[in-house]
Amino acid sequence: MKKNIIFTIIAVLLLAAMGVLAYLLMNEKQANTELREEFRLEKEDLESEYTTFSRQYDELKLTVSNDSLAQLLEQEQLKTQRLLEELRTVKSTNATEIRRLKNELATLRTVMVSYINQIDSLNQINAQQKVVIEEVTQKYNDASRQISNLTEERKNLTEQVTLASQLDATGIRVTPLNKRGREAKRTKDTEKLQISFNIAKNITAKTGDRTLYVRILKPDNDVLTRDASDTFSYENRQLTYSIKKYIEYTGEEQPVSVYWDVQEFLYAGNYRLDIFAEGNLIGSSSFSLK
């Protein structure tokens, strides 16, 4: 009887122990399942953060123009992508590797913050330099405009002085003369053309020897000349002249007379007369022969 009671007690105790063990095993299994799920979620979060970091490096590289800094950003991005690939191959249950990669992520975050601070500092410096460059450029442009205006004013003044110092032929008269030295009434009786004019007074013109060139143009614009080599320079070209006259200019008004001996046929019509000195046209007139 006592033995039966003892066996019963032992059986009850064994059943109770087995129940407790089963309960503990079930709790441990549940805990392991929850832990694996936690590791899986943590791994997914890490993958998302690594991916975000890699994209942020793309954005940062667009904001820098410094080649050295851009190269460092590229290296950090490659490191981030390499760690991301490592993370993707790690099992969710490998807590040690996940912890290591989580620590690596913290280091990457610190490095990125330092690069962001560097970029902000460089951008501020660049902005300040841009303002300085704009100010210097504005001052340079203002100075250039002032110099250009002064140059233009000096040019205009020089031109005015040059024009003011030029000789001026006034009172131009052309008289056809017959063989008796009297005014010819008809073209066929003309033996000479007497050309008279005055060189006006000019206190700004330099005094001394001057050479005058007279061009007589027929109605067909052909120039009366003795030799085709009788030329002078005017506006970068050579013009044929009819008469060359040397004078000594004193700065005071002085009369000048030159003559053209008619050796060619002159026909009736309108003729033109131009007088040049020192490469400048100093007087023009027209006359008619009947």
Side-chain angles (χ1 to χ4, degrees), residues 168-185:
D168 185 22
T170 63
I172 302 172
R173 301 177 305 279
V174 179
T175 305
L177 302 177
N178 57 26
K179 59 183 179 180
R180 294 186 178 86
R182 297 178 180 177
E183 184 175 355
K185 302 300 183 182

Side-chain angles (χ1 to χ4, degrees), residues 159-170:
E159 290 177 351
Q160 292 174 8
V161 171
T162 301
L163 289 173
S165 64
Q166 289 179 7
L167 299 183
D168 185 22
T170 63

Side-chain angles (χ1 to χ4, degrees), residues 70-87:
Q71 187 175 4
L72 291 174
L73 291 174
E74 179 70 21
Q75 292 175 359
E76 287 299 318
Q77 184 181 32
L78 292 175
K79 181 179 179 181
T80 302
Q81 292 172 346
R82 177 175 58 78
L83 292 173
L84 176 60
E85 291 301 320
E86 289 184 19
L87 177 63

Side-chain angles (χ1 to χ4, degrees), residues 44-54 80 105 109:
E44 289 181 357
D45 289 341
L46 279 176
E47 289 184 11
S48 177
E49 289 191 59
Y50 271 109
T51 302
T52 300
F53 261 68
S54 181
T80 302
L105 181 62
R109 184 179 289 107

Side-chain angles (χ1 to χ4, degrees), residues 69-280:
L69 184 56
Q71 187 175 4
L72 291 174
L73 291 174
E74 179 70 21
Q75 292 175 359
E76 287 299 318
Q77 184 181 32
L78 292 175
K79 181 179 179 181
T80 302
Q81 292 172 346
R82 177 175 58 78
L83 292 173
L84 176 60
E85 291 301 320
E86 289 184 19
L87 177 63
R88 287 172 176 168
T89 59
V90 171
K91 292 183 179 180
S92 300
T93 56
N94 194 336
T96 301
E97 277 300 297
I98 291 177
R99 189 177 300 110
R100 181 183 69 83
L101 292 171
K102 189 173 183 179
N103 292 333
E104 291 280 4
L105 181 62
T107 303
L108 290 175
R109 184 179 289 107
T110 301
V111 172
M112 175 173 280
V113 169
S114 69
Y115 281 133
I116 290 174
N117 292 334
Q118 290 184 51
I119 292 171
D120 287 342
S121 298
L122 286 175
N123 287 340
Q124 290 177 7
I125 293 173
N126 290 337
Q128 293 173 355
Q129 290 178 341
K130 183 178 180 181
V131 171
V132 172
I133 291 172
E134 289 177 351
E135 291 177 352
V136 172
T137 301
Q138 183 63 40
K139 291 179 180 178
Y140 172 79
N141 291 336
D142 292 342
S144 296
R145 280 192 293 270
Q146 291 178 0
I147 292 173
S148 178
N149 291 337
L150 289 174
T151 301
E152 186 65 25
E153 290 177 5
R154 186 180 297 111
K155 178 182 177 182
N156 293 336
L157 182 60
T158 301
E159 290 177 351
Q160 292 174 8
V161 171
T162 301
L163 289 173
S165 64
Q166 289 179 7
L167 299 183
D168 185 22
T170 63
I172 302 172
R173 301 177 305 279
V174 179
T175 305
L177 302 177
N178 57 26
K179 59 183 179 180
R180 294 186 178 86
R182 297 178 180 177
E183 184 175 355
K185 302 300 183 182
R186 296 179 298 181
T187 302
K188 67 177 183 177
D189 297 329
T190 301
E191 296 288 330
K192 288 179 182 292
L193 293 177
Q194 180 184 8
I195 303 164
S196 301
F197 53 91
N198 294 322
I199 299 297
K201 178 180 180 179
N202 190 337
I203 60 174
T204 62
K206 62 181 180 179
T207 60
D209 295 336
R210 301 294 183 89
T211 303
L212 307 179
Y213 296 94
V214 179
R215 278 166 54 93
I216 306 171
L217 289 85
K218 297 188 293 185
D220 59 1
N221 285 328
D222 191 18
V223 179
L224 296 177
T225 185
R226 292 286 176 251
D227 193 320
S229 64
D230 291 341
T231 61
F232 66 97
S233 179
Y234 177 68
E235 294 185 349
N236 299 320
R237 56 196 177 107
Q238 294 297 309
L239 297 181
T240 304
Y241 65 83
S242 306
I243 305 169
K244 180 164 65 173
K245 175 73 173 179
Y246 298 102
I247 67 170
E248 184 177 354
Y249 184 63
T250 63
E252 299 295 329
E253 183 177 49
Q254 62 187 88
V256 178
S257 293
V258 295
Y259 297 87
W260 175 260
D261 293 327
V262 177
Q263 298 177 5
E264 58 280 295
F265 173 75
L266 297 181
Y267 49 89
N270 294 321
Y271 290 70
R272 192 174 88 244
L273 187 78
D274 294 330
I275 304 172
F276 296 82
E278 298 181 317
N280 299 305

